Amino acid sequence: MAEVDPRIKQLKIKTNVVKRIAKEKFMYEKEAEQFEEKLEKMKADKRDEHELRKQAECVEESKAMVPDCMSRLRKAYKDLDESLQELLGEGELKDNEDVQAATTVLSDNKHLISA
């Protein structure tokens, strides 16, 4: 079995980290939205005050995770970008499928970083 270049192995790991954190951020935003909808429905149904407070806590917890995800995403994005630029600077791996995948992940998530 051919030995995988350790630089490519690290690039794959960093690419998957960016993908995972971006997905995590999206899921927390979606979860917060769902919890808010549920809270509004509970208010409309005039549910118990304790239940409303607990649901509001769920909303706040989900919303609080988004900034954490953003800071981790920025760090992971920067780390991946630096690794990719280093590999591209060497020139020999431009056509590697993992390098192309990393490039795609960076371009797909650029809007999240600049927001």
Side-chain angles (χ1 to χ4, degrees), residues 13-67:
I13 291 169
K14 291 175 184 181
T15 300
N16 287 328
V17 167
V18 171
K19 283 183 188 177
R20 179 181 47 79
I21 296 172
K23 183 177 178 181
E24 213 175 288
K25 178 189 175 291
F26 172 75
M27 293 307 293
Y28 278 121
E29 290 171 336
K30 185 177 174 182
E31 181 181 70
E33 189 177 297
Q34 290 171 342
F35 283 155
E36 281 181 337
E37 289 171 5
K38 185 175 178 182
L39 178 61
E40 291 307 313
K41 186 176 182 324
M42 289 171 73
K43 285 180 181 178
D45 293 344
K46 300 192 185 318
R47 299 287 288 267
D48 180 55
E49 190 63 36
H50 175 72
E51 290 180 58
L52 294 175
R53 273 197 312 272
K54 284 298 185 187
Q55 189 62 35
E57 285 177 20
C58 290
V59 171
E60 292 308 311
E61 286 175 13
S62 291
K63 284 183 176 180
M65 290 306 297
V66 174

Side-chain angles (χ1 to χ4, degrees), residues 86-111:
E86 186 178 306
L87 282 174
L88 290 175
E90 295 170 10
E92 65 197 58
L93 299 170
K94 277 187 180 168
D95 296 328
N96 182 287
E97 66 184 61
D98 295 316
V99 170
Q100 296 302 318
T103 303
T104 302
V105 167
L106 286 175
S107 65
D108 289 351
N109 291 290
K110 187 173 185 86
H111 71 281

